[in-house]
Coordinates of all heavy atoms in Angstrom, one line a residue:
M1 N -29.4 -15.9 -0.9 CA -29.8 -14.5 -1.1 C -28.7 -13.8 -2.0 O -27.5 -14.3 -2.0 CB -30.0 -13.8 0.2 CG -28.8 -13.4 1.0 SD -29.3 -12.7 2.6 CE -28.3 -13.7 3.6
K2 N -29.1 -12.8 -2.6 CA -28.1 -12.1 -3.5 C -27.7 -10.8 -2.9 O -28.5 -10.0 -2.5 CB -28.8 -11.9 -4.9 CG -27.9 -11.2 -5.9 CD -28.5 -11.2 -7.3 CE -29.7 -10.2 -7.3 NZ -30.2 -10.0 -8.7
I3 N -26.4 -10.6 -2.9 CA -25.8 -9.3 -2.4 C -25.1 -8.7 -3.5 O -24.2 -9.3 -4.2 CB -24.9 -9.5 -1.2 CG1 -25.6 -10.2 -0.1 CG2 -24.3 -8.2 -0.8 CD1 -24.7 -10.7 1.0
K4 N -25.5 -7.5 -3.8 CA -24.8 -6.7 -4.9 C -23.8 -5.8 -4.2 O -24.2 -4.9 -3.5 CB -25.9 -5.9 -5.7 CG -25.3 -5.1 -6.8 CD -26.4 -4.4 -7.6 CE -25.9 -3.6 -8.8 NZ -26.9 -3.0 -9.5
L5 N -22.5 -6.0 -4.4 CA -21.5 -5.2 -3.8 C -21.2 -4.1 -4.8 O -20.6 -4.3 -5.9 CB -20.2 -6.1 -3.6 CG -19.0 -5.3 -3.0 CD1 -19.4 -4.9 -1.5 CD2 -17.8 -6.2 -3.0
E6 N -21.5 -2.9 -4.4 CA -21.2 -1.7 -5.2 C -19.8 -1.3 -5.0 O -19.4 -1.1 -3.8 CB -22.2 -0.6 -4.9 CG -23.6 -1.0 -5.3 CD -24.6 0.1 -5.2 OE1 -24.6 0.8 -4.1 OE2 -25.4 0.4 -6.1
L7 N -19.0 -1.0 -6.1 CA -17.6 -0.7 -6.0 C -17.4 0.8 -6.1 O -17.9 1.4 -7.0 CB -16.9 -1.5 -7.1 CG -17.1 -3.0 -7.1 CD1 -16.5 -3.6 -8.4 CD2 -16.6 -3.7 -5.9
F8 N -16.5 1.3 -5.2 CA -16.1 2.7 -5.2 C -14.6 2.8 -5.1 O -14.0 1.9 -4.5 CB -16.8 3.4 -4.0 CG -18.3 3.5 -4.1 CD1 -19.1 2.5 -3.5 CD2 -19.0 4.4 -4.9 CE1 -20.5 2.5 -3.5 CE2 -20.4 4.4 -5.0 CZ -21.1 3.5 -4.3
G9 N -14.1 3.9 -5.6 CA -12.6 4.1 -5.4 C -11.8 3.0 -6.0 O -12.1 2.4 -7.1
A10 N -10.7 2.6 -5.3 CA -9.8 1.6 -5.7 C -10.5 0.2 -5.9 O -10.0 -0.6 -6.7 CB -8.6 1.5 -4.7
S11 N -11.6 0.0 -5.3 CA -12.2 -1.3 -5.5 C -12.9 -1.5 -6.8 O -13.2 -2.6 -7.2 CB -13.3 -1.6 -4.4 OG -14.4 -0.7 -4.6
R12 N -13.0 -0.4 -7.6 CA -13.5 -0.5 -9.0 C -12.6 -1.5 -9.8 O -13.1 -2.0 -10.9 CB -13.6 0.8 -9.6 CG -14.7 1.7 -8.9 CD -15.6 2.3 -9.9 NE -16.7 2.9 -9.2 CZ -17.6 3.6 -9.7 NH1 -17.6 3.8 -11.0 NH2 -18.6 4.1 -9.0
D13 N -11.4 -1.7 -9.5 CA -10.5 -2.6 -10.2 C -10.9 -4.0 -10.0 O -10.4 -4.9 -10.7 CB -9.0 -2.4 -9.8 CG -8.5 -1.0 -10.2 OD1 -9.0 -0.4 -11.2 OD2 -7.5 -0.6 -9.6
F14 N -11.8 -4.3 -9.1 CA -12.2 -5.7 -8.8 C -13.1 -6.3 -9.9 O -13.3 -7.5 -10.0 CB -13.0 -5.8 -7.5 CG -12.2 -5.4 -6.3 CD1 -12.9 -5.4 -5.1 CD2 -10.9 -5.2 -6.3 CE1 -12.2 -5.0 -3.9 CE2 -10.2 -4.8 -5.1 CZ -10.9 -4.7 -3.9
S15 N -13.7 -5.4 -10.8 CA -14.6 -5.9 -11.8 C -14.6 -4.9 -12.9 O -14.3 -3.7 -12.7 CB -16.0 -6.0 -11.2 OG -16.9 -6.4 -12.2
N16 N -15.0 -5.3 -14.1 CA -15.2 -4.4 -15.2 C -16.6 -3.7 -15.2 O -16.9 -2.9 -16.0 CB -15.0 -5.1 -16.6 CG -15.9 -6.2 -16.8 OD1 -16.7 -6.6 -16.0 ND2 -15.7 -6.9 -18.0
K17 N -17.4 -4.1 -14.2 CA -18.7 -3.5 -13.9 C -18.5 -2.6 -12.7 O -17.4 -2.6 -12.1 CB -19.8 -4.5 -13.6 CG -20.0 -5.5 -14.8 CD -21.0 -6.5 -14.3 CE -21.2 -7.6 -15.4 NZ -22.1 -8.6 -14.9
D18 N -19.6 -1.9 -12.3 CA -19.5 -1.1 -11.1 C -20.0 -1.8 -9.8 O -20.2 -1.3 -8.8 CB -20.3 0.2 -11.2 CG -21.8 0.0 -11.4 OD1 -22.2 -1.2 -11.5 OD2 -22.6 0.9 -11.4
H19 N -20.1 -3.2 -10.0 CA -20.5 -4.0 -8.9 C -20.1 -5.4 -9.1 O -19.7 -5.8 -10.2 CB -22.1 -3.9 -8.7 CG -22.8 -4.6 -9.9 ND1 -23.0 -3.9 -11.1 CD2 -23.3 -5.8 -10.0 CE1 -23.6 -4.8 -11.9 NE2 -23.8 -5.9 -11.2
I20 N -20.2 -6.2 -8.0 CA -20.1 -7.7 -8.1 C -21.2 -8.3 -7.4 O -21.6 -7.8 -6.3 CB -18.8 -8.2 -7.4 CG1 -17.5 -7.4 -8.0 CG2 -18.6 -9.7 -7.5 CD1 -16.3 -7.6 -7.1
E21 N -21.8 -9.3 -7.9 CA -22.9 -10.0 -7.3 C -22.4 -11.3 -6.6 O -21.7 -12.1 -7.2 CB -24.0 -10.3 -8.2 CG -24.7 -9.1 -8.7 CD -26.0 -9.3 -9.6 OE1 -26.3 -10.5 -9.8 OE2 -26.5 -8.3 -10.1
F22 N -22.9 -11.5 -5.4 CA -22.5 -12.7 -4.6 C -23.8 -13.4 -4.2 O -24.8 -12.8 -3.9 CB -21.8 -12.3 -3.3 CG -20.4 -11.7 -3.5 CD1 -20.3 -10.4 -3.8 CD2 -19.3 -12.5 -3.4 CE1 -19.0 -9.8 -4.0 CE2 -18.1 -12.0 -3.6 CZ -17.9 -10.7 -3.9
Q23 N -23.8 -14.7 -4.2 CA -24.9 -15.5 -3.7 C -24.4 -16.1 -2.4 O -23.4 -16.8 -2.2 CB -25.1 -16.7 -4.7 CG -25.8 -16.3 -6.0 CD -27.2 -15.8 -5.8 OE1 -27.9 -16.2 -4.9 NE2 -27.6 -14.9 -6.6
I24 N -25.2 -15.7 -1.3 CA -24.9 -16.1 0.0 C -26.0 -17.0 0.5 O -27.2 -16.7 0.3 CB -24.8 -14.9 1.0 CG1 -23.8 -13.9 0.4 CG2 -24.5 -15.3 2.4 CD1 -22.3 -14.4 0.4
K25 N -25.7 -18.1 1.1 CA -26.7 -19.1 1.5 C -27.6 -18.7 2.7 O -28.7 -19.0 2.8 CB -26.1 -20.5 1.8 CG -25.5 -21.1 0.6 CD -24.8 -22.4 0.9 CE -24.3 -23.0 -0.4 NZ -23.2 -23.8 -0.3
E26 N -27.0 -17.9 3.6 CA -27.7 -17.6 4.8 C -27.3 -16.2 5.3 O -26.4 -15.6 4.8 CB -27.5 -18.6 5.9 CG -26.1 -18.8 6.3 CD -25.8 -20.0 7.1 OE1 -26.5 -21.1 7.0 OE2 -25.0 -19.9 8.0
K27 N -28.0 -15.7 6.3 CA -27.6 -14.4 6.9 C -26.1 -14.4 7.2 O -25.6 -15.5 7.6 CB -28.5 -14.1 8.1 CG -28.2 -14.9 9.3 CD -29.1 -14.5 10.4 CE -28.9 -15.4 11.7 NZ -29.7 -15.0 12.8
T28 N -25.5 -13.3 7.1 CA -24.0 -13.2 7.3 C -23.7 -11.8 7.8 O -24.4 -10.8 7.5 CB -23.3 -13.5 6.0 OG1 -21.9 -13.6 6.3 CG2 -23.5 -12.5 4.9
E29 N -22.6 -11.7 8.6 CA -22.1 -10.5 9.1 C -21.1 -9.9 8.1 O -20.5 -10.7 7.3 CB -21.5 -10.7 10.4 CG -22.4 -11.0 11.5 CD -21.7 -11.2 12.9 OE1 -20.5 -11.0 13.0 OE2 -22.4 -11.4 13.9
I30 N -21.0 -8.6 8.1 CA -20.0 -8.0 7.2 C -18.6 -8.6 7.4 O -17.9 -8.8 6.4 CB -20.0 -6.4 7.5 CG1 -21.3 -5.8 7.0 CG2 -18.8 -5.8 6.8 CD1 -21.6 -5.8 5.5
K31 N -18.2 -8.9 8.6 CA -16.9 -9.5 8.7 C -16.7 -10.8 8.0 O -15.7 -11.1 7.4 CB -16.5 -9.6 10.2 CG -17.4 -10.6 11.0 CD -17.0 -10.6 12.4 CE -17.9 -11.5 13.2 NZ -17.7 -11.4 14.7
D32 N -17.8 -11.6 7.9 CA -17.8 -12.8 7.1 C -17.9 -12.5 5.6 O -17.3 -13.2 4.8 CB -18.9 -13.7 7.6 CG -18.7 -14.2 9.0 OD1 -17.5 -14.4 9.4 OD2 -19.6 -14.2 9.8
F33 N -18.6 -11.5 5.3 CA -18.8 -11.1 3.9 C -17.4 -10.6 3.3 O -17.1 -10.9 2.2 CB -19.8 -10.0 3.7 CG -20.1 -9.6 2.3 CD1 -20.4 -10.6 1.3 CD2 -20.2 -8.3 1.9 CE1 -20.6 -10.2 0.0 CE2 -20.4 -7.9 0.6 CZ -20.7 -8.9 -0.3
R34 N -16.6 -10.0 4.2 CA -15.2 -9.6 3.7 C -14.5 -10.9 3.3 O -13.8 -10.8 2.3 CB -14.4 -9.0 4.9 CG -14.7 -7.6 5.2 CD -13.8 -7.1 6.4 NE -14.3 -6.0 7.0 CZ -14.1 -4.7 6.7 NH1 -13.3 -4.5 5.6 NH2 -14.6 -3.7 7.3
K35 N -14.7 -12.0 4.0 CA -14.0 -13.2 3.6 C -14.5 -13.7 2.2 O -13.7 -14.2 1.4 CB -14.2 -14.3 4.7 CG -13.5 -14.0 6.0 CD -13.9 -15.0 7.0 CE -13.5 -14.5 8.4 NZ -14.0 -15.2 9.5
E36 N -15.8 -13.6 2.0 CA -16.3 -13.9 0.7 C -15.7 -13.1 -0.4 O -15.4 -13.6 -1.5 CB -17.9 -13.7 0.6 CG -18.7 -14.6 1.5 CD -18.8 -16.0 1.0 OE1 -18.7 -16.2 -0.3 OE2 -19.0 -16.9 1.8
I37 N -15.5 -11.8 -0.2 CA -14.9 -10.9 -1.2 C -13.5 -11.3 -1.4 O -13.0 -11.4 -2.6 CB -15.0 -9.5 -0.7 CG1 -16.5 -9.0 -0.6 CG2 -14.3 -8.6 -1.8 CD1 -16.6 -7.7 0.2
I38 N -12.8 -11.6 -0.4 CA -11.4 -12.1 -0.5 C -11.3 -13.4 -1.3 O -10.4 -13.6 -2.1 CB -10.7 -12.1 0.9 CG1 -10.4 -10.7 1.4 CG2 -9.3 -12.9 0.8 CD1 -9.9 -10.6 2.8
D39 N -12.2 -14.3 -1.0 CA -12.2 -15.6 -1.8 C -12.4 -15.3 -3.3 O -11.8 -15.9 -4.1 CB -13.4 -16.5 -1.3 CG -13.1 -17.1 0.0 OD1 -11.9 -17.1 0.5 OD2 -14.0 -17.7 0.6
Y40 N -13.3 -14.3 -3.6 CA -13.5 -13.9 -5.0 C -12.2 -13.4 -5.6 O -11.9 -13.7 -6.7 CB -14.6 -12.8 -5.0 CG -14.7 -12.1 -6.3 CD1 -15.5 -12.6 -7.4 CD2 -14.0 -10.9 -6.5 CE1 -15.5 -11.9 -8.6 CE2 -14.1 -10.2 -7.7 CZ -14.8 -10.7 -8.8 OH -14.9 -10.0 -10.0
L41 N -11.5 -12.6 -4.8 CA -10.3 -12.0 -5.3 C -9.2 -13.1 -5.5 O -8.4 -13.0 -6.5 CB -9.8 -10.9 -4.4 CG -10.7 -9.7 -4.2 CD1 -10.1 -8.7 -3.1 CD2 -10.8 -8.9 -5.6
E42 N -9.2 -14.0 -4.6 CA -8.2 -15.2 -4.8 C -8.5 -15.9 -6.1 O -7.5 -16.2 -6.8 CB -8.4 -16.2 -3.6 CG -7.8 -15.7 -2.3 CD -6.3 -15.8 -2.2 OE1 -5.7 -16.5 -3.0 OE2 -5.8 -15.1 -1.3
K43 N -9.7 -16.1 -6.4 CA -10.1 -16.9 -7.6 C -9.8 -16.1 -8.9 O -9.3 -16.6 -9.9 CB -11.5 -17.3 -7.6 CG -11.9 -18.4 -6.7 CD -13.3 -18.7 -6.7 CE -13.8 -19.3 -5.4 NZ -15.3 -19.3 -5.3
N44 N -10.1 -14.8 -8.8 CA -10.1 -14.0 -10.0 C -8.8 -13.1 -10.2 O -8.6 -12.7 -11.4 CB -11.3 -13.0 -10.0 CG -12.6 -13.8 -10.2 OD1 -12.9 -14.3 -11.3 ND2 -13.3 -14.0 -9.1
F45 N -8.1 -13.0 -9.2 CA -6.9 -12.1 -9.3 C -5.6 -12.8 -8.7 O -4.7 -12.1 -8.2 CB -7.1 -10.7 -8.7 CG -8.2 -10.0 -9.4 CD1 -9.5 -10.0 -8.9 CD2 -7.9 -9.3 -10.6 CE1 -10.5 -9.3 -9.6 CE2 -8.9 -8.6 -11.2 CZ -10.2 -8.6 -10.7
K46 N -5.7 -14.1 -8.6 CA -4.5 -14.9 -8.1 C -3.9 -14.4 -6.8 O -2.7 -14.3 -6.6 CB -3.4 -15.0 -9.2 CG -4.0 -15.3 -10.6 CD -3.6 -16.7 -10.9 CE -4.0 -17.1 -12.4 NZ -5.4 -17.3 -12.6
G47 N -4.8 -14.0 -5.9 CA -4.3 -13.6 -4.5 C -3.7 -12.3 -4.5 O -2.8 -12.0 -3.7
N48 N -4.0 -11.3 -5.3 CA -3.5 -10.0 -5.3 C -3.5 -9.4 -3.9 O -4.6 -9.1 -3.4 CB -4.3 -9.1 -6.3 CG -3.7 -7.7 -6.5 OD1 -3.4 -7.1 -5.5 ND2 -3.7 -7.2 -7.7
E49 N -2.4 -9.3 -3.3 CA -2.3 -8.8 -1.9 C -2.8 -7.4 -1.7 O -3.4 -7.0 -0.7 CB -0.9 -9.0 -1.4 CG -0.4 -10.4 -1.2 CD -1.3 -11.2 -0.3 OE1 -1.7 -10.7 0.8 OE2 -1.5 -12.4 -0.7
D50 N -2.6 -6.5 -2.7 CA -3.0 -5.1 -2.6 C -4.6 -5.1 -2.6 O -5.2 -4.4 -1.8 CB -2.5 -4.3 -3.8 CG -1.0 -4.0 -3.7 OD1 -0.5 -4.0 -2.6 OD2 -0.4 -3.8 -4.8
F51 N -5.2 -5.9 -3.4 CA -6.7 -6.0 -3.5 C -7.2 -6.5 -2.1 O -8.2 -6.0 -1.6 CB -7.2 -6.9 -4.6 CG -7.1 -6.3 -6.0 CD1 -6.6 -5.0 -6.2 CD2 -7.6 -7.0 -7.0 CE1 -6.6 -4.4 -7.4 CE2 -7.6 -6.4 -8.3 CZ -7.1 -5.1 -8.5
K52 N -6.5 -7.5 -1.6 CA -7.0 -8.1 -0.3 C -6.8 -7.0 0.8 O -7.7 -6.9 1.7 CB -6.2 -9.3 0.1 CG -6.6 -10.5 -0.8 CD -6.1 -11.8 -0.3 CE -4.7 -12.1 -0.5 NZ -4.2 -13.4 -0.1
K53 N -5.8 -6.2 0.8 CA -5.6 -5.2 1.7 C -6.7 -4.1 1.6 O -7.2 -3.6 2.6 CB -4.2 -4.5 1.6 CG -3.9 -3.5 2.6 CD -2.5 -3.0 2.4 CE -2.2 -1.9 3.5 NZ -0.9 -1.2 3.2
I54 N -7.1 -3.8 0.4 CA -8.2 -2.9 0.2 C -9.4 -3.4 0.9 O -10.1 -2.6 1.7 CB -8.5 -2.6 -1.3 CG1 -7.3 -1.8 -1.9 CG2 -9.8 -1.9 -1.5 CD1 -7.3 -1.8 -3.4
V55 N -9.8 -4.6 0.8 CA -11.0 -5.2 1.4 C -10.8 -5.2 2.9 O -11.8 -4.8 3.6 CB -11.2 -6.6 0.9 CG1 -12.4 -7.3 1.7 CG2 -11.5 -6.7 -0.6
A56 N -9.7 -5.5 3.4 CA -9.5 -5.5 4.9 C -9.6 -4.2 5.5 O -10.0 -4.1 6.7 CB -8.1 -6.1 5.2
T57 N -9.3 -3.1 4.8 CA -9.3 -1.8 5.4 C -10.4 -0.9 5.0 O -10.5 0.2 5.4 CB -7.9 -1.0 5.0 OG1 -7.8 -0.9 3.6 CG2 -6.7 -1.7 5.6
S58 N -11.3 -1.4 4.1 CA -12.5 -0.7 3.6 C -13.6 -0.6 4.6 O -13.8 -1.5 5.5 CB -13.0 -1.3 2.4 OG -12.1 -1.1 1.3
A59 N -14.4 0.5 4.5 CA -15.6 0.6 5.2 C -16.7 0.1 4.3 O -16.5 0.0 3.1 CB -15.9 2.1 5.6
F60 N -17.9 -0.2 4.9 CA -19.0 -0.6 4.1 C -20.2 0.3 4.4 O -20.3 0.8 5.5 CB -19.4 -2.1 4.4 CG -18.3 -3.1 3.8 CD1 -17.2 -3.3 4.5 CD2 -18.5 -3.7 2.6 CE1 -16.2 -4.2 4.1 CE2 -17.6 -4.6 2.1 CZ -16.4 -4.8 2.8
C61 N -21.1 0.4 3.4 CA -22.3 1.2 3.6 C -23.5 0.4 3.2 O -23.5 -0.4 2.3 CB -22.2 2.5 3.0 SG -22.2 2.5 1.2
S62 N -24.7 0.7 3.8 CA -25.9 0.0 3.5 C -26.6 0.7 2.3 O -26.1 1.7 1.8 CB -26.9 0.1 4.7 OG -27.1 1.5 5.0
E63 N -27.7 0.2 1.9 CA -28.5 0.7 0.7 C -28.9 2.2 1.0 O -29.0 2.9 0.0 CB -29.7 -0.1 0.5 CG -29.4 -1.5 -0.1 CD -30.7 -2.3 -0.3 OE1 -31.7 -2.2 0.5 OE2 -30.7 -3.0 -1.3
D64 N -29.1 2.5 2.2 CA -29.5 3.9 2.5 C -28.3 4.8 2.9 O -28.4 5.8 3.5 CB -30.6 3.9 3.6 CG -30.1 3.2 4.9 OD1 -29.0 2.6 4.9 OD2 -30.9 3.2 5.8
N65 N -27.1 4.4 2.4 CA -25.9 5.1 2.5 C -25.4 5.4 4.0 O -24.8 6.5 4.2 CB -26.0 6.5 1.7 CG -26.1 6.2 0.3 OD1 -25.5 5.3 -0.3 ND2 -26.9 7.0 -0.4
N66 N -25.7 4.5 4.9 CA -25.2 4.6 6.2 C -24.0 3.7 6.4 O -24.0 2.5 5.9 CB -26.2 4.3 7.3 CG -27.3 5.3 7.3 OD1 -27.0 6.5 7.4 ND2 -28.6 4.9 7.3
I67 N -22.9 4.1 7.0 CA -21.8 3.3 7.3 C -22.2 2.2 8.2 O -23.0 2.4 9.2 CB -20.6 4.1 8.0 CG1 -20.1 5.2 7.0 CG2 -19.5 3.2 8.4 CD1 -19.5 4.7 5.8
I68 N -21.8 0.9 7.9 CA -22.2 -0.2 8.7 C -20.9 -0.9 9.3 O -19.9 -0.9 8.6 CB -23.1 -1.2 7.9 CG1 -22.4 -1.6 6.6 CG2 -24.5 -0.6 7.7 CD1 -23.2 -2.6 5.8
T69 N -21.1 -1.5 10.5 CA -19.9 -2.1 11.1 C -19.7 -3.5 10.7 O -20.6 -4.1 10.0 CB -20.1 -2.0 12.7 OG1 -21.2 -2.9 13.0 CG2 -20.4 -0.6 13.1
D70 N -18.6 -4.1 11.1 CA -18.4 -5.6 10.8 C -19.4 -6.5 11.5 O -19.6 -7.6 11.0 CB -17.0 -6.0 11.3 CG -15.9 -5.7 10.2 OD1 -16.3 -5.1 9.2 OD2 -14.8 -6.0 10.5
N71 N -20.1 -6.0 12.5 CA -21.2 -6.8 13.1 C -22.5 -6.7 12.5 O -23.5 -7.4 12.9 CB -21.3 -6.4 14.6 CG -20.0 -6.8 15.4 OD1 -19.3 -7.8 15.1 ND2 -19.6 -5.9 16.3
Y72 N -22.7 -5.8 11.5 CA -23.9 -5.7 10.8 C -24.3 -7.0 10.1 O -23.5 -7.6 9.5 CB -23.8 -4.6 9.7 CG -25.0 -4.3 8.9 CD1 -26.0 -3.5 9.3 CD2 -25.1 -5.0 7.6 CE1 -27.1 -3.2 8.5 CE2 -26.2 -4.7 6.8 CZ -27.2 -3.9 7.2 OH -28.3 -3.6 6.4
I73 N -25.5 -7.4 10.3 CA -26.0 -8.7 9.7 C -26.8 -8.4 8.4 O -27.8 -7.7 8.5 CB -26.8 -9.5 10.7 CG1 -26.0 -9.8 12.0 CG2 -27.3 -10.8 10.1 CD1 -26.7 -10.5 13.1
I74 N -26.4 -9.1 7.4 CA -27.1 -9.0 6.1 C -28.2 -10.1 6.2 O -27.8 -11.3 6.3 CB -26.2 -9.2 4.9 CG1 -25.1 -8.2 4.9 CG2 -27.0 -9.2 3.6 CD1 -23.9 -8.5 4.0
L75 N -29.4 -9.7 6.1 CA -30.5 -10.7 6.3 C -31.3 -11.0 5.0 O -32.1 -11.9 5.0 CB -31.5 -10.2 7.3 CG -31.0 -10.0 8.7 CD1 -32.0 -9.2 9.6 CD2 -30.7 -11.3 9.3
K76 N -31.1 -10.1 4.0 CA -32.0 -10.3 2.8 C -31.2 -9.8 1.6 O -30.1 -9.2 1.7 CB -33.2 -9.4 2.9 CG -33.0 -7.9 3.1 CD -34.3 -7.2 3.3 CE -34.1 -5.7 3.7 NZ -33.3 -4.9 2.7
D77 N -31.7 -10.0 0.4 CA -31.1 -9.5 -0.8 C -30.9 -8.0 -0.7 O -31.9 -7.3 -0.3 CB -32.0 -9.7 -2.0 CG -32.1 -11.2 -2.5 OD1 -31.4 -12.0 -1.8 OD2 -32.8 -11.4 -3.5
Q78 N -29.8 -7.5 -0.9 CA -29.6 -6.0 -0.8 C -28.3 -5.6 -1.5 O -27.4 -6.4 -1.9 CB -29.6 -5.6 0.6 CG -28.5 -6.1 1.5 CD -28.7 -5.6 3.0 OE1 -28.4 -4.5 3.3 NE2 -29.3 -6.5 3.8
K79 N -28.1 -4.3 -1.6 CA -26.9 -3.7 -2.1 C -26.1 -3.3 -0.9 O -26.6 -2.7 0.1 CB -27.2 -2.4 -2.9 CG -27.9 -2.7 -4.2 CD -28.2 -1.3 -4.9 CE -29.2 -1.5 -5.9 NZ -29.6 -0.2 -6.5
I80 N -24.8 -3.5 -1.0 CA -23.8 -3.1 0.0 C -22.7 -2.4 -0.7 O -22.2 -2.9 -1.7 CB -23.2 -4.3 0.8 CG1 -24.3 -5.1 1.5 CG2 -22.1 -3.8 1.8 CD1 -24.9 -4.4 2.7
G81 N -22.3 -1.2 -0.3 CA -21.2 -0.5 -0.9 C -19.9 -0.7 -0.1 O -19.9 -0.8 1.1
I82 N -18.8 -0.8 -0.9 CA -17.5 -0.9 -0.3 C -16.8 0.4 -0.6 O -16.7 0.9 -1.7 CB -16.7 -2.2 -0.8 CG1 -15.3 -2.3 -0.1 CG2 -16.5 -2.2 -2.3 CD1 -14.6 -3.6 -0.4
I83 N -16.2 1.0 0.5 CA -15.6 2.3 0.4 C -14.2 2.2 0.9 O -13.9 2.2 2.1 CB -16.4 3.3 1.3 CG1 -17.8 3.3 0.9 CG2 -15.8 4.7 1.1 CD1 -18.7 4.0 2.0
P84 N -13.2 2.0 -0.1 CA -11.8 1.9 0.3 C -11.3 3.2 0.9 O -11.8 4.3 0.6 CB -11.1 1.7 -1.0 CG -12.2 1.2 -2.0 CD -13.4 1.9 -1.5
P85 N -10.3 3.1 1.7 CA -9.6 4.3 2.3 C -9.0 5.1 1.2 O -8.6 4.5 0.1 CB -8.6 3.8 3.3 CG -8.3 2.4 2.9 CD -9.6 1.9 2.2
I86 N -8.8 6.3 1.3 CA -8.1 7.2 0.3 C -6.7 6.6 0.2 O -6.0 6.3 1.2 CB -8.1 8.6 0.7 CG1 -9.5 9.1 0.7 CG2 -7.2 9.5 -0.2 CD1 -9.8 10.5 1.1
G87 N -6.2 6.4 -1.0 CA -4.9 5.9 -1.2 C -4.9 4.4 -1.5 O -3.9 3.7 -1.7
G88 N -6.1 3.8 -1.4 CA -6.3 2.4 -1.7 C -6.0 1.4 -0.7 O -6.0 0.2 -0.9
G89 N -5.7 1.8 0.5 CA -5.4 0.8 1.6 C -4.1 1.0 2.2 O -3.4 0.5 2.8

């Protein structure tokens, strides 16, 4: 399934677009999706620790703009927003 990660605040530095698309094989929880994002950062930004900290401390929101917890399960193609803390982490 395809997850479109919409970037806000400091996370906009993760891409030259306003989003990053991920292909996930099966349903996944937000806590596992965080790992996918960190793997992306490892590959594309040589393990930038500041970027990884942003992911670790960010909140996420659903397509309908509700904050979602780390236990939220992504079951289908959808948009997920990443909302870094003020100050970038």
Side-chain angles (χ1 to χ4, degrees):
M1 75 187 127
K2 182 170 70 173
I3 300 170
K4 183 176 179 181
L5 179 67
E6 295 185 314
L7 306 173
F8 297 96
S11 70
R12 293 229 171 174
D13 291 338
F14 297 173
S15 176
N16 58 1
K17 300 177 187 174
D18 64 353
H19 68 279
I20 305 168
E21 291 187 4
F22 291 86
Q23 288 293 328
I24 305 294
K25 292 180 179 151
E26 56 190 39
K27 68 181 180 180
T28 190
E29 293 182 356
I30 290 294
K31 64 183 173 189
D32 295 320
F33 186 49
R34 281 184 200 271
K35 294 174 190 168
E36 293 283 336
I37 300 166
I38 289 172
D39 287 347
Y40 166 87
L41 296 174
E42 285 284 341
K43 288 181 205 165
N44 293 283
F45 296 98
K46 311 256 187 284
N48 182 316
E49 293 301 319
D50 290 333
F51 282 4
K52 291 194 285 186
K53 185 177 178 186
I54 290 169
V55 174
T57 58
S58 289
F60 289 83
C61 66
S62 61
E63 290 179 324
D64 54 359
N65 294 323
N66 289 312
I67 297 296
I68 51 180
T69 68
D70 274 3
N71 295 326
Y72 177 88
I73 299 173
I74 303 167
L75 297 170
K76 59 181 174 60
D77 289 0
Q78 63 183 281
K79 294 179 197 172
I80 300 287
I82 183 169
I83 308 165
I86 294 175

